Amino acid sequence: MEITYLANVEHPVQLGYLISIYFFYTGLSAGSFVLSSLGTVFGIQKYKPIAKAGVVMAIALLAVAPLHLIADLEQPARFYTLFFRLNPTSAISYGTFLLTLYPLTCIFYLWFMMRKDFALGAQKLTGFRQGLYSLLTFGKKDLSPDALANDQKWIKRLGTLGVPLALSVHGYTGFILANMQARALWHTGLMPLIFLMSAMVSGTGLLILTLILTQRFFSPEKALTHQRREVLQDIARLMMWFIVVDGVLMVINFIVLYFGNAAGYAAAEMLLWGSHSAMFLGVEIGLGLVVPFIITFWSKTRKSLGLLSLASILTLLGVIAMRINFVVGGQQIPLSGNALNPYHVEPRHLVFLGCFAVLEMAILYLAFKFLPVYGIEPATERTPSVRSN
């Protein structure tokens, strides 16, 4: 009698929502920093006013992003071991040091950009901000032309160093996925580029949304001036082209998937007609790429702050959907058998995500409220009243 043994080994989804959103945060940070460097590193003068806002966002996002990794470890107290257990053949091991060096570079970069404002604030302001700015000068209150020229030199140097670091911090995540040969959705040389371009799309969207809100409530003028509106429209044009490149990369990737091997066809089928089709076609492509492209393509809609805000929010939703589709969906393609590997998000992970999002908004609020992102408020001189007899 012949006995046949059947085995169906399940491969659980190890990288869930926490890792997907970690990739989202690092992408936002990289995109924000690259945009901030357009004026300080690449010399495009019209983008200099947004440089401080971009790097503040980059630092705030990098402060929260690693918390998703630590929460996902299940043994968060052991995260420090990554610093002294270096594996020279592991991209993740190098990522630990990138996540340390990049924010430190951003902090020094921001300090040199704000040192003049800190020194002025220490002289002209009163109360809490005067004490805070005096402390943050670290005794460097020299406002001579030579000191200011030295600041500009360091801004240029640190910004130049920060651009490749920003791209590496997010690019290595796509590199990690691309090297997983068993995962058809991941194993492509385009994966780092897809991650980087989606990072530029979402980073630009968040920067536009942040500039609209913070310039209205935290700038000295408490308004969006004509010059600032023009800069927003220019950034919106950049976002439109980032969307175009991101869409082209996505089409090329899917052509290779669909007409490649059986595993690639299964991955494309899952996204086009399977369990991820609504999130992929509806949210990622429809809401996240097509609608923002239409809004930013036409000059009339691009000039509307309401529609521009809507486009920015939709790009964020689209890139979140992209991260989930690729990270979680890529693991649901079965390595054996025909059924998709199930994934159910743990409720406590959703709690972590909510808490980290609130923490991120609180950090951004405090940073834009108390730091001189848009300069020092002009001092108002009090004229003595003349008393007539």
Side-chain angles (χ1 to χ4, degrees), residues 6-320:
L6 299 176
N8 185 18
V9 180
E10 285 191 1
H11 299 270
V13 175
Q14 301 289 352
L15 308 180
Y17 279 10
L18 283 171
I19 300 301
S20 302
I21 302 304
Y22 159 71
F23 290 162
F24 174 66
Y25 273 75
T26 56
L28 290 174
S29 176
S32 300
F33 187 92
V34 171
L35 289 170
S36 77
S37 68
L38 292 178
T40 58
V41 176
F42 297 100
I44 307 176
Q45 296 300 318
K46 63 182 177 181
Y47 292 121
K48 275 195 171 182
I50 69 168
K52 294 177 186 176
V55 73
V56 164
M57 289 170 54
I59 295 171
L61 290 160
L62 252 296
V64 175
L67 299 179
H68 297 80
L69 293 179
I70 295 173
D72 187 71
L73 284 175
E74 303 296 340
Q75 293 283 352
R78 296 181 182 177
F79 80 93
Y80 68 92
T81 60
L82 295 171
F83 288 97
F84 59 84
R85 291 181 180 175
L86 175 65
N87 182 355
T89 63
S90 171
I92 297 178
S93 188
Y94 289 106
T96 303
F97 296 94
L98 284 173
L99 284 172
T100 304
L101 181 59
Y102 170 54
L104 288 176
T105 302
C106 290
I107 290 171
F108 285 111
Y109 176 59
L110 179 64
W111 185 82
F112 278 104
M113 281 199 288
M114 289 190 171
R115 191 195 68 83
K116 176 184 175 182
D117 294 319
F118 288 149
L120 288 173
Q123 296 174 5
K124 296 181 178 181
L125 299 180
T126 58
F128 173 74
R129 287 194 182 187
Q130 189 274 338
L132 176 64
Y133 292 177
S134 180
L135 176 66
L136 291 177
T137 61
F138 297 101
K140 306 293 184 181
K141 299 180 180 180
D142 187 3
L143 294 175
S144 65
D146 290 341
L148 297 180
N150 184 62
D151 290 344
Q152 293 302 315
K153 289 180 182 178
W154 277 105
I155 290 171
K156 178 81 171 181
R157 293 169 185 168
L158 292 169
T160 304
L161 173 62
V163 171
L165 283 176
L167 297 177
S168 298
V169 161
H170 194 60
Y172 96 95
T173 59
F175 178 79
I176 291 170
L177 299 185
N179 276 276
M180 301 292 181
Q181 298 182 16
R183 302 294 181 182
L185 191 58
W186 297 351
H187 187 50
T188 169
L190 290 177
M191 189 56 61
L193 293 177
I194 291 173
F195 267 66
L196 283 174
M197 286 314 304
S198 61
M200 294 307 301
V201 171
S202 59
T204 308
L206 182 61
L207 180 62
I208 290 173
L209 195 62
T210 303
L211 289 174
I212 291 174
L213 292 174
T214 57
Q215 289 175 350
R216 173 65 180 83
F217 295 103
F218 298 125
S219 67
E221 298 83 6
K222 298 290 190 296
L224 285 166
T225 61
H226 177 71
Q227 181 182 3
R228 287 173 174 170
R229 286 175 180 266
E230 288 185 343
V231 173
L232 284 174
Q233 291 177 35
D234 288 336
I235 299 173
R237 289 192 195 96
L238 284 178
M239 185 169 72
M240 179 194 71
W241 287 111
F242 292 148
I243 289 172
V244 170
V245 177
D246 190 26
V248 169
L249 289 174
M250 195 69 68
V251 170
I252 295 172
N253 185 48
F254 264 81
I255 290 174
V256 175
L257 272 178
Y258 195 84
F259 295 101
N261 54 29
Y265 178 81
E269 190 177 43
M270 178 192 69
L271 293 177
L272 294 176
W273 301 293
S275 58
H276 283 256
S277 61
M279 185 175 287
F280 176 70
L281 295 175
V283 181
E284 181 182 344
I285 302 299
L287 296 179
L289 292 180
V290 176
V291 175
F293 173 78
I294 294 173
I295 292 174
T296 54
F297 180 78
W298 300 104
S299 59
K300 289 184 179 180
T301 54
R302 192 169 56 235
K303 291 179 181 179
S304 169
L305 293 180
L307 290 176
L308 198 54
S309 300
L310 175 63
S312 301
I313 294 171
L314 291 179
T315 59
L316 297 178
L317 293 177
V319 175
I320 290 175

